[in-house]
Amino acid sequence: MTAIDAHAHVFKRGLPLAANSRYAPDYDATPEDYIRNLEANGITNGVLVQPSFLGTDNSYMLEALRRYPDRFRGIAVVQPDIQQDALRELAAAGVVGIRLNLIGGQNPRFDADPWPMFLKHLADLDWQVEIQAEARRWPELLPLLLKSGVKVVADHFGKPDPKLGIDDLGFRQLLAAGNTGRVWVKISGSYRNGAGLPAAAMPLLRESFGLDHLVWGSDWPNTQFEATTGYSQVRGELDVWVPDPGDRRVVLDAAPRRLFWMMRR
């Protein structure tokens, strides 16, 4: 049966780094390494997310998508002035959305050029905009994104402030967007959110979004946390967060298959 890991990264040492990179791995995380982890943990498919430290050079990820077209989908990092033909080339390779890692940066001006046309191109492709940002930023980010017509995916539980947890007002704003039907949340990266968050957040996420808008991701190879976690451990967390096997099938299969594989053409 299909089981999809909705968030992982592949890279190798020596690839050109983004100019503003704050991190550079000293090991390889190849597609073949990733596949071995998938198969060892009963997962059939994966979504490759372009690592932030590689910037807009998506070539290594694209190579993996082309090598394993039935197994992988991709989330790219691009500049907002990219031409529509280039986006279509990415789509042909298996890319289904773009990622904005806003940690350490400013919120984009989604209502100023070139963003409106860029977002329209993404919506025309039925792509998603995946965002990693502190939850306090959701009140500013969500309204314009939803107005543009794109699908929105919140990384790592929406990243509430570890000190505030589910009481973070930005996280509450994210929950309120569940009724739009166009926002998904990745239940992933628990170690990036402070102890205890998943147990407190999961009931609220299920109530606001429904299981069909929650997807699980391993965040493999768990960059900067490699010494304290691993694939089998994060896969086991899902069994705790979603103990019912039928519910897990939704999170591992139905929800991510619809979001990443069943694109409008």
Side-chain angles (χ1 to χ4, degrees), residues 118-199:
F118 176 54
L119 294 173
K120 181 182 185 303
H121 290 332
L122 299 183
D124 289 345
L125 288 167
D126 196 26
W127 278 17
Q128 61 190 265
V129 175
E130 178 185 310
I131 293 184
Q132 178 171 226
E134 302 90 344
R136 60 179 170 76
R137 303 164 77 166
W138 288 116
E140 181 178 342
L141 295 169
L142 277 171
L144 288 173
L145 281 173
L146 291 172
K147 184 178 179 180
S148 75
V150 299
K151 296 177 286 191
V152 180
V153 179
D155 269 356
H156 306 328
F157 288 91
K159 291 190 70 63
D161 185 329
K163 295 180 181 178
L164 299 173
I166 60 173
D167 295 322
D168 186 318
L169 294 180
F171 179 71
R172 293 288 173 164
Q173 182 81 12
L174 179 63
L175 292 175
N179 62 13
T180 67
R182 290 196 292 112
V183 181
W184 283 255
V185 176
K186 286 188 179 180
I187 51 174
S188 61
S190 60
Y191 41 84
R192 303 186 191 275
N193 286 287
L197 176 70

Side-chain angles (χ1 to χ4, degrees), residues 149-252:
V150 299
K151 296 177 286 191
V152 180
V153 179
D155 269 356
H156 306 328
F157 288 91
K159 291 190 70 63
D161 185 329
K163 295 180 181 178
L164 299 173
I166 60 173
D167 295 322
D168 186 318
L169 294 180
F171 179 71
R172 293 288 173 164
Q173 182 81 12
L174 179 63
L175 292 175
N179 62 13
T180 67
R182 290 196 292 112
V183 181
W184 283 255
V185 176
K186 286 188 179 180
I187 51 174
S188 61
S190 60
Y191 41 84
R192 303 186 191 275
N193 286 287
L197 176 70
M202 280 302 300
L204 300 175
L205 291 169
R206 290 185 63 156
E207 179 181 358
S208 296
F209 290 92
L211 288 172
D212 62 346
H213 278 64
L214 301 180
V215 296
W216 171 80
S218 67
D219 197 27
W220 186 86
N222 319 109
T223 54
Q224 302 183 69
F225 291 86
E226 299 93 340
T228 57
T229 193
Y231 203 105
S232 61
Q233 181 175 337
V234 295
R235 170 59 190 86
E237 288 179 334
L238 179 63
D239 294 347
V240 176
W241 302 340
V242 187
D244 181 80
D247 289 347
R248 279 201 305 278
R249 296 308 316 162
V250 177
V251 173
L252 281 174

Side-chain angles (χ1 to χ4, degrees), residues 65-106:
L65 296 180
R66 293 179 177 121
R67 195 182 315 158
Y68 302 102
D70 296 327
R71 192 183 285 268
F72 295 149
R73 291 293 182 267
I75 302 294
V77 173
V78 302
Q79 293 292 343
D81 59 357
I82 186 173
Q83 296 300 304
Q84 189 170 23
D85 286 347
L87 290 174
R88 293 190 183 281
E89 289 178 10
L90 292 174
V95 171
V96 295
I98 64 110
R99 190 192 199 204
L100 299 176
N101 184 348
L102 302 180
I103 303 299
Q106 300 296 316

Side-chain angles (χ1 to χ4, degrees), residues 19-98:
N20 60 348
S21 176
R22 301 185 303 272
Y23 168 79
D26 60 358
Y27 61 94
D28 298 338
T30 69
E32 290 72 27
D33 294 331
Y34 178 48
I35 288 171
R36 282 190 287 272
N37 277 282
L38 294 180
E39 293 178 344
N41 288 275
I43 307 296
T44 59
N45 298 80
V47 178
L48 304 181
V49 178
Q50 170 73 348
S52 298
F53 52 81
L54 296 182
T56 59
D57 182 357
N58 298 281
S59 55
Y60 189 75
M61 181 189 72
L62 292 173
E63 180 184 334
L65 296 180
R66 293 179 177 121
R67 195 182 315 158
Y68 302 102
D70 296 327
R71 192 183 285 268
F72 295 149
R73 291 293 182 267
I75 302 294
V77 173
V78 302
Q79 293 292 343
D81 59 357
I82 186 173
Q83 296 300 304
Q84 189 170 23
D85 286 347
L87 290 174
R88 293 190 183 281
E89 289 178 10
L90 292 174
V95 171
V96 295
I98 64 110

